Amino acid sequence: MSGSASSVPLTEARVLALSGGVGGAKLARGLGRTLPDWHLAVVCNTGDDFSHLGLEICPDLDSVTYAMAGLADAARGWGRAGETWQAMETLRALGAADWFALGDRDLGLHVWRTERLRGGATLSEIAAEAAARLGVSQHLLPMSDDVVRTRLVTDAGTLDFQDYFVRRRAVPVVSALQYPGAVEARLPAPLAAALAGGWHPDTIVICPSNPYLSIDPILAIPAWRDWLTRVDCPIVAVSPIVGGRALKGCAAKMMLELGHEVSATTVARHYGALLDGFVIDTADAALAGRIGCDGLAVRVLPTVMYDDADRDALARAVLEFAGSLAAHAPARRR
């Protein structure tokens, strides 16, 4: 590592990425491998966080951390590589809740985080320290140090995210989403301090994450929405919908249940005037004219990422696209 979380200020970052878990983490890794050390800050959704078995779990933040550190399990798409499950076997034998799988390596991070939180550390401090100790030379931040949760209004009642997504396997039909705590939540402390000092990034990238479950919890925080509306740099999003389907997760199912077409067009309209540029996959090239009809710049690229070569290529192309928009981007949001 070229520095540590405490010695390298956030103001070194030139690119800010907003990310959820698996899909977003892939592009975040590509951005981190493409940019110089510390020039990237990744803001992670924490609406999925929850308390389980007495531990504080941060699934998206951990997925991004593992991806950036080169520790992610590529086959499963979540958790750490080389994982073992002896703790879960013991918990199962004791009759404890076993619907949320915690690997032995992963469990160590949750135990450590819980202890640090109980000792008074903020989630931002913990995220930075974990990243630095795992060899990550990028800034990783939670979307807020305050508690914000994602809840889904479904035909099975109003459910916490992990109950809906993991315990019930995303089967209930969704009619609305709620983000309790968002209105009162503040920007994460390191970002607030950097902005107070006059810092701003050159580019903002919204990674290919579920817009409702991964990005909307961030945008539901008024301080985030206000800053992103006013920021003087291009904001580019990458569609998580390719060829009319979601590559991971339940985004396509939710779109249908909320009355929307399963399409990259729906994602672009969802973000609306917040964006200056939108990246769609080559499979959706025919949609480019339709998406760009209101002045939104559209770039068609191969967006499916199977390995680091794909992640790096997409990261470079997204940054080049954002650079081409820099002179005109702010006017679109005003």
Side-chain angles (χ1 to χ4, degrees):
M1 292 176 57
S2 61
S4 69
S6 59
S7 65
V8 181
L10 179 61
T11 49
E12 288 294 311
R14 307 316 321 158
V15 176
L16 183 77
L18 308 184
S19 180
V22 179
K26 289 182 178 181
L27 181 55
R29 176 169 170 80
L31 291 168
R33 286 166 51 88
T34 300
L35 293 162
D37 284 358
W38 305 110
H39 280 218
L40 172 67
V42 184
V43 174
C44 302
N45 166 48
T46 57
D48 297 3
D49 294 7
F50 76 127
S51 297
H52 185 61
L53 298 174
L55 302 175
E56 301 303 318
I57 317 294
C58 302
D60 285 2
L61 183 58
D62 293 350
S63 290
V64 172
T65 301
Y66 293 152
M68 303 297 281
L71 299 173
D73 188 310
R76 283 201 317 268
W78 56 272
R80 286 189 62 162
E83 193 61 277
T84 55
W85 306 94
Q86 295 180 48
M88 287 304 301
E89 291 173 7
T90 299
L91 288 166
R92 191 173 295 114
L94 293 170
D98 63 355
W99 58 269
F100 191 89
L102 297 171
D104 299 326
R105 295 173 184 270
D106 193 36
L107 194 62
L109 175 57
H110 305 319
V111 170
W112 174 79
R113 175 193 295 118
T114 302
E115 180 183 39
R116 297 277 284 118
L117 284 169
R118 290 174 181 170
T122 67
L123 192 55
S124 288
E125 292 168 340
I126 294 166
E129 186 176 345
R133 289 181 179 276
L134 292 175
V136 177
S137 58
Q138 292 85 28
H139 302 273
L140 301 188
L141 301 167
M143 66 189 193
S144 178
D145 291 314
D146 301 311
V147 175
V148 179
R149 292 293 178 259
T150 297
R151 290 185 182 146
L152 300 96
V153 180
T154 77
D155 59 355
T158 300
L159 307 174
D160 289 335
F161 173 80
Q162 298 300 343
D163 188 6
Y164 163 79
F165 187 67
V166 179
R167 192 172 190 174
R168 301 174 189 247
R169 302 182 182 277
V171 171
V173 176
V174 177
S175 58
L177 292 100
Q178 302 171 346
Y179 309 102
V183 172
E184 300 82 16
R186 298 160 293 180
L187 295 173
L191 178 61
L195 294 177
W199 170 83
H200 65 82
D202 297 329
T203 300
I204 296 174
V205 177
I206 300 178
C207 293
S209 299
N210 186 315
Y212 310 108
L213 297 176
S214 298
I215 305 301
D216 276 3
I218 303 174
L219 301 181
I221 298 174
W224 268 111
R225 174 70 73 167
D226 180 63
W227 178 63
L228 290 170
T229 301
R230 295 181 293 103
V231 70
D232 192 23
C233 72
I235 301 178
V236 173
V238 180
S239 176
I241 300 296
V242 175
R245 64 188 184 93
L247 299 181
K248 283 285 184 180
C250 56
K253 173 182 178 292
M254 291 183 62
M255 283 182 180
L256 286 173
E257 292 169 355
L258 294 172
H260 304 305
E261 173 190 15
V262 181
S263 166
T265 304
T266 297
V267 181
R269 289 175 177 169
H270 182 76
Y271 291 135
L274 185 68
L275 300 182
D276 304 295
F278 191 62
V279 175
I280 61 176
D281 190 76
T282 51
D284 295 313
L287 300 176
R290 177 181 170 191
I291 294 171
C293 65
D294 64 348
L296 177 64
V298 179
R299 183 66 60 91
V300 179
L301 297 168
T303 65
V304 181
M305 296 170 280
Y306 296 105
D307 53 28
D308 276 343
D310 294 333
R311 292 185 268 276
D312 295 353
L314 180 58
R316 288 192 298 268
V318 168
L319 293 175
E320 185 278 327
F321 178 39
S324 73
L325 301 174
H328 309 288
R332 175 178 161 80
R333 294 193 300 279
R334 295 195 178 111

